[in-house]
Short mmCIF file of all heavy atoms in Angstrom, two decimals:
data_model
loop_
_atom_site.label_atom_id
_atom_site.label_comp_id
_atom_site.label_asym_id
_atom_site.label_seq_id
_atom_site.Cartn_x
_atom_site.Cartn_y
_atom_site.Cartn_z
N THR A 80 0.03 35.45 0.63
CA THR A 80 0.81 36.60 1.12
C THR A 80 1.95 36.03 2.04
O THR A 80 2.03 36.36 3.21
CB THR A 80 -0.08 37.67 1.89
OG1 THR A 80 -1.25 37.86 1.27
CG2 THR A 80 0.74 38.94 1.99
N LEU A 81 2.78 35.26 1.40
CA LEU A 81 3.89 34.64 2.23
C LEU A 81 4.74 35.56 2.95
O LEU A 81 5.10 36.71 2.52
CB LEU A 81 4.75 33.81 1.24
CG LEU A 81 4.11 32.48 0.78
CD1 LEU A 81 4.93 31.91 -0.32
CD2 LEU A 81 4.05 31.49 1.96
N GLU A 82 5.13 35.21 4.14
CA GLU A 82 6.08 35.90 4.98
C GLU A 82 7.24 35.09 5.19
O GLU A 82 7.29 33.88 5.10
CB GLU A 82 5.40 36.28 6.31
CG GLU A 82 4.16 37.05 6.20
CD GLU A 82 3.42 37.37 7.59
OE1 GLU A 82 3.89 36.84 8.55
OE2 GLU A 82 2.35 38.06 7.57
N LEU A 83 8.36 35.74 5.62
CA LEU A 83 9.56 34.99 5.93
C LEU A 83 9.41 33.91 6.93
O LEU A 83 9.95 32.85 6.83
CB LEU A 83 10.71 35.98 6.32
CG LEU A 83 11.18 37.02 5.31
CD1 LEU A 83 12.28 37.91 5.94
CD2 LEU A 83 11.72 36.31 4.08
N GLY A 84 8.50 34.17 7.89
CA GLY A 84 8.35 33.25 8.97
C GLY A 84 7.56 32.04 8.59
O GLY A 84 7.38 31.06 9.31
N ASP A 85 7.04 31.98 7.30
CA ASP A 85 6.36 30.85 6.86
C ASP A 85 7.27 29.76 6.39
O ASP A 85 6.78 28.65 6.00
CB ASP A 85 5.39 31.22 5.73
CG ASP A 85 4.32 32.23 6.23
OD1 ASP A 85 3.95 32.16 7.43
OD2 ASP A 85 3.76 33.06 5.34
N SER A 86 8.52 30.05 6.28
CA SER A 86 9.50 29.01 5.94
C SER A 86 9.50 27.90 6.92
O SER A 86 9.70 28.17 8.12
CB SER A 86 10.94 29.68 5.90
OG SER A 86 11.05 30.60 4.91
N ALA A 87 9.27 26.69 6.44
CA ALA A 87 9.05 25.59 7.35
C ALA A 87 8.96 24.34 6.53
O ALA A 87 8.90 24.33 5.27
CB ALA A 87 7.78 25.80 8.16
N LEU A 88 8.97 23.18 7.26
CA LEU A 88 8.59 21.95 6.70
C LEU A 88 7.06 21.73 7.01
O LEU A 88 6.68 21.75 8.15
CB LEU A 88 9.40 20.82 7.37
CG LEU A 88 9.16 19.40 6.82
CD1 LEU A 88 9.61 19.27 5.45
CD2 LEU A 88 9.88 18.35 7.75
N TYR A 89 6.36 21.50 5.96
CA TYR A 89 4.88 21.29 6.09
C TYR A 89 4.62 19.78 5.95
O TYR A 89 4.87 19.17 4.88
CB TYR A 89 4.12 22.14 5.13
CG TYR A 89 4.18 23.55 5.42
CD1 TYR A 89 5.21 24.43 4.94
CD2 TYR A 89 3.26 24.16 6.37
CE1 TYR A 89 5.31 25.70 5.30
CE2 TYR A 89 3.31 25.51 6.71
CZ TYR A 89 4.38 26.21 6.17
OH TYR A 89 4.46 27.55 6.54
N LEU A 90 4.04 19.24 6.99
CA LEU A 90 3.84 17.78 7.02
C LEU A 90 2.30 17.52 6.92
O LEU A 90 1.50 18.19 7.54
CB LEU A 90 4.40 17.22 8.28
CG LEU A 90 5.85 17.17 8.51
CD1 LEU A 90 6.33 16.92 9.89
CD2 LEU A 90 6.54 16.19 7.55
N CYS A 91 2.06 16.54 6.17
CA CYS A 91 0.63 16.04 5.97
C CYS A 91 0.59 14.61 6.66
O CYS A 91 1.51 13.88 6.53
CB CYS A 91 0.34 16.02 4.51
SG CYS A 91 -1.13 15.03 4.08
N ALA A 92 -0.54 14.35 7.24
CA ALA A 92 -0.70 13.05 7.80
C ALA A 92 -2.15 12.62 7.59
O ALA A 92 -3.13 13.31 7.53
CB ALA A 92 -0.53 13.15 9.39
N SER A 93 -2.27 11.27 7.34
CA SER A 93 -3.56 10.73 7.08
C SER A 93 -3.91 9.59 8.08
O SER A 93 -3.00 8.94 8.65
CB SER A 93 -3.72 10.21 5.62
OG SER A 93 -3.07 8.99 5.53
N SER A 94 -5.21 9.42 8.31
CA SER A 94 -5.68 8.34 9.17
C SER A 94 -7.05 7.93 8.70
O SER A 94 -7.67 8.66 7.98
CB SER A 94 -5.69 8.71 10.64
OG SER A 94 -6.63 9.68 10.79
N LEU A 95 -7.44 6.73 9.15
CA LEU A 95 -8.73 6.22 8.81
C LEU A 95 -9.87 7.14 9.27
O LEU A 95 -10.62 7.65 8.51
CB LEU A 95 -8.88 4.86 9.35
CG LEU A 95 -8.18 3.68 8.59
CD1 LEU A 95 -8.21 2.39 9.44
CD2 LEU A 95 -8.78 3.45 7.22
N ASP A 96 -9.90 7.29 10.61
CA ASP A 96 -11.06 7.97 11.13
C ASP A 96 -10.78 8.31 12.61
O ASP A 96 -9.95 7.65 13.18
CB ASP A 96 -12.33 7.22 11.03
CG ASP A 96 -13.61 8.01 11.38
OD1 ASP A 96 -13.48 9.20 11.60
OD2 ASP A 96 -14.66 7.40 11.41
N GLY A 97 -11.48 9.20 13.17
CA GLY A 97 -11.38 9.41 14.60
C GLY A 97 -10.04 9.70 15.10
O GLY A 97 -9.11 10.17 14.32
N VAL A 98 -9.67 9.43 16.33
CA VAL A 98 -8.36 9.54 16.87
C VAL A 98 -7.71 8.21 16.57
O VAL A 98 -8.01 7.19 17.15
CB VAL A 98 -8.34 9.80 18.35
CG1 VAL A 98 -6.93 9.97 18.87
CG2 VAL A 98 -9.11 11.12 18.60
N ASP A 99 -6.76 8.22 15.70
CA ASP A 99 -6.18 7.00 15.26
C ASP A 99 -4.65 7.24 14.88
O ASP A 99 -4.30 8.36 14.87
CB ASP A 99 -6.92 6.51 14.05
CG ASP A 99 -6.77 5.02 13.71
OD1 ASP A 99 -5.88 4.46 14.40
OD2 ASP A 99 -7.43 4.54 12.88
N GLU A 100 -4.07 6.22 14.62
CA GLU A 100 -2.70 6.35 14.14
C GLU A 100 -2.62 7.21 12.90
O GLU A 100 -3.45 6.88 11.99
CB GLU A 100 -2.04 4.92 13.91
CG GLU A 100 -0.62 5.04 13.31
CD GLU A 100 -0.07 3.61 13.11
OE1 GLU A 100 -0.80 2.59 13.47
OE2 GLU A 100 0.96 3.57 12.51
N GLN A 101 -1.86 8.14 12.97
CA GLN A 101 -1.60 9.05 11.75
C GLN A 101 -0.38 8.63 11.00
O GLN A 101 0.74 8.52 11.69
CB GLN A 101 -1.57 10.50 12.14
CG GLN A 101 -2.93 10.97 12.76
CD GLN A 101 -2.90 12.44 13.01
OE1 GLN A 101 -2.73 13.32 12.08
NE2 GLN A 101 -3.12 12.83 14.25
N PHE A 102 -0.41 8.58 9.74
CA PHE A 102 0.73 8.27 8.91
C PHE A 102 1.15 9.62 8.20
O PHE A 102 0.41 10.21 7.53
CB PHE A 102 0.30 7.23 7.82
CG PHE A 102 0.09 5.89 8.47
CD1 PHE A 102 -1.22 5.58 8.97
CD2 PHE A 102 1.01 4.86 8.52
CE1 PHE A 102 -1.55 4.38 9.53
CE2 PHE A 102 0.65 3.67 9.09
CZ PHE A 102 -0.54 3.38 9.56
N PHE A 103 2.47 9.89 8.43
CA PHE A 103 2.94 11.14 7.94
C PHE A 103 3.60 10.99 6.61
O PHE A 103 4.33 9.99 6.38
CB PHE A 103 3.94 11.73 8.93
CG PHE A 103 3.27 12.45 10.10
CD1 PHE A 103 2.80 11.68 11.19
CD2 PHE A 103 3.17 13.80 10.07
CE1 PHE A 103 2.18 12.35 12.22
CE2 PHE A 103 2.49 14.43 11.18
CZ PHE A 103 2.08 13.61 12.31
N GLY A 104 3.48 11.99 5.77
CA GLY A 104 4.24 12.10 4.51
C GLY A 104 5.64 12.64 4.78
O GLY A 104 5.92 13.04 5.89
N PRO A 105 6.51 12.78 3.72
CA PRO A 105 7.82 13.22 3.88
C PRO A 105 7.96 14.68 4.13
O PRO A 105 9.00 15.19 4.50
CB PRO A 105 8.56 12.73 2.61
CG PRO A 105 7.43 12.71 1.61
CD PRO A 105 6.23 12.31 2.40
N GLY A 106 6.92 15.44 3.77
CA GLY A 106 6.83 16.87 3.93
C GLY A 106 7.17 17.70 2.72
O GLY A 106 7.83 17.16 1.76
#
Side-chain angles (χ1 to χ4, degrees):
Chain A
T80 319
L81 284 166
E82 300 177 359
L83 295 179
D85 297 333
S86 295
L88 181 67
Y89 290 89
L90 294 165
C91 163
S93 77
S94 68
L95 282 169
D96 189 6
V98 181
D99 201 350
E100 175 178 354
Q101 295 185 59
F102 294 83
F103 281 79

